[in-house]
Amino acid sequence: MSNSSNPAKIVIATRESVLALWQANFIRERLSKLYPQTEFNIFGMTTRGDQILDISLSKIGGKGLFIKELEQALENNSADIAVHSMKDVPMNMPEGFVLAAIAEREDPRDAFISSQYASLSELPPGGVVGTSSLRRESQLRAHFPHLQVQPLRGNVQTRLRKLDEGQFAAIILAAAGLKRLGLADRITALLSPELSLPAVGQGALGIECRADRADLIKLVQPLHHPETAQCVEAERAMSRALGGSCQVPLGGFAEITAGVLRLRGFVASPDGTRMISNELSGEPDAGTGMGAQLARNLKEQGAAEILAALESTMVAPVSHP
């Protein structure tokens, strides 16, 4: 697929965590095979989200902190494209930027990891479970109110080390990250969507570039996976309509089976005492509209009250040098 009109060199911006670098190199390798005459380089960056590890994401501005610096690199031409975990991408793209492609999804489920227990149901009362998200926390508290849930930040290796050191009886991580890093053997059990509905975009990779770079948008199209994109776009439409962020415990998961897209979503109170769930099914190309409709349904069922209560207690993001 080489073309003399393609750039001679393309710089791929990424966070410098082991997982983020794996993802960027995965995309680089795929593009290199498609365009052998183009040189693809990795530009690793440390973001504010990576620097601040002693405060939960919901208190420092959310997952958008993981991509702001990457977008600045695109804006000032230090990089051409950026690779993101789709669950880290804010629901509203900044003006001047576009998701040029969404690659095929890895396993979207959450993974239960423990060296002592085979499942969440085996954990004793007071057992400490570590997780980094309000989404997981609210579902854990709803299904297993006898457990303790404590915050867990850091990269995958750091979180596993904290488990191995005995700081937690179990931890919950995204299965996709573990599988991509060759750590599937650390997964004790995969959690069904019924037990832990995944995060919006979980397991999918997005390629971002400036909206005015039509050449790059065209160049990455072979990596675009339409079915994954239809699912992720439906999930993101639901979350966008609900004002989804790290400060809102919500999940959204779409899958296509036999030509039908099934979209599930929930909004919960952080303590899990209130959880509003619903789902819709329809044509895959109608996913964006389904996402907006599902959000309306959830609000009518009581999610609007939960969201209003959350908004009244939200604090401004903590300033951090």
Side-chain angles (χ1 to χ4, degrees):
M1 297 200 52
S2 60
N3 188 317
S4 58
S5 65
N6 292 333
K9 182 173 77 171
I10 289 178
V11 177
I12 304 172
T14 176
R15 294 165 56 198
E16 288 188 302
S17 73
V18 174
L19 179 57
L21 286 168
W22 185 98
Q23 293 170 171
N25 276 293
F26 172 74
I27 296 299
R28 181 186 63 79
E29 289 169 9
R30 292 193 63 189
L31 289 172
S32 293
K33 290 179 181 178
L34 289 166
Y35 309 105
Q37 294 180 340
T38 298
E39 177 185 343
F40 293 91
N41 295 327
I42 301 294
F43 178 30
M45 304 181 68
T46 300
T47 68
R48 282 194 72 223
D50 295 308
Q51 294 170 337
I52 307 171
L53 297 176
D54 56 345
I55 305 174
S56 65
L57 285 175
S58 62
K59 295 179 180 177
I60 60 173
K63 291 182 177 180
L65 291 176
F66 286 132
I67 71 170
K68 185 176 180 181
E69 284 88 350
L70 306 188
E71 288 174 338
Q72 289 173 343
L74 298 179
E75 194 166 31
N76 63 27
N77 292 316
S78 298
D80 300 292
I81 61 176
V83 176
H84 309 298
S85 291
M86 281 303 302
K87 68 175 184 175
D88 291 341
V89 178
M91 296 307 120
N92 294 298
M93 297 294 294
E95 186 176 353
F97 296 93
V98 65
L99 282 170
I102 296 177
E104 185 172 6
R105 200 173 213 166
E106 177 50 277
D107 193 327
R109 293 173 291 181
D110 284 330
F112 170 82
I113 306 159
S114 176
S115 56
Q116 298 174 273
Y117 305 97
S119 66
L120 280 165
S121 60
E122 288 192 11
L123 288 170
V128 180
V129 181
T131 176
S132 60
S133 80
L134 286 176
R135 171 189 63 83
R136 292 180 182 130
E137 179 177 351
S138 65
Q139 293 182 99
L140 282 168
R141 293 189 185 281
H143 294 300
F144 305 96
H146 61 285
L147 299 178
Q148 289 188 51
V149 183
Q150 293 187 3
L152 175 67
R153 288 288 311 278
N155 60 36
V156 172
Q157 289 78 4
T158 298
R159 298 184 198 193
L160 290 172
R161 176 178 53 77
K162 291 179 179 180
L163 171 70
D164 294 338
E165 290 173 349
Q167 296 184 37
F168 302 91
I171 62 175
I172 310 295
L173 298 176
L178 292 163
K179 291 185 174 183
R180 284 171 172 149
L181 292 176
L183 296 170
D185 60 333
R186 293 301 307 263
I187 298 174
T188 305
L190 290 165
L191 303 182
S192 69
E194 289 72 26
L195 186 61
S196 187
L197 198 71
V200 167
Q202 185 159 308
L205 300 180
I207 302 174
E208 182 182 15
C209 69
R210 293 201 330 239
D212 61 2
R213 291 298 302 272
D215 58 331
L216 295 176
I217 296 172
K218 180 180 179 181
L219 182 128
V220 301
Q221 280 309 293
L223 273 58
H224 186 70
H225 190 253
E227 184 172 302
T228 296
Q230 288 171 326
C231 290
V232 171
E233 286 163 3
E235 297 163 9
R236 286 172 61 81
M238 182 207 74
S239 182
R240 189 180 303 114
L242 292 169
S245 73
C246 280
Q247 295 177 290
V248 178
L250 70 79
F253 177 54
E255 54 190 335
I256 298 174
T257 305
V260 176
L261 186 147
R262 179 190 183 192
L263 174 63
R264 287 178 271 181
F266 83 87
V267 175
S269 58
D271 63 6
T273 56
R274 293 197 66 194
M275 182 169 290
I276 310 299
S277 303
N278 205 326
E279 69 173 76
L280 290 173
S281 295
E283 295 291 331
D285 58 4
T288 300
M290 287 170 57
Q293 181 61 54
L294 184 56
R296 289 192 290 270
N297 293 352
L298 289 167
K299 287 180 178 179
E300 291 172 2
Q301 288 177 247
E305 297 173 13
I306 296 175
L307 294 170
L310 286 168
E311 187 173 357
S312 69
T313 59
M314 283 181 185
V315 295
V318 173
S319 176
H320 204 289

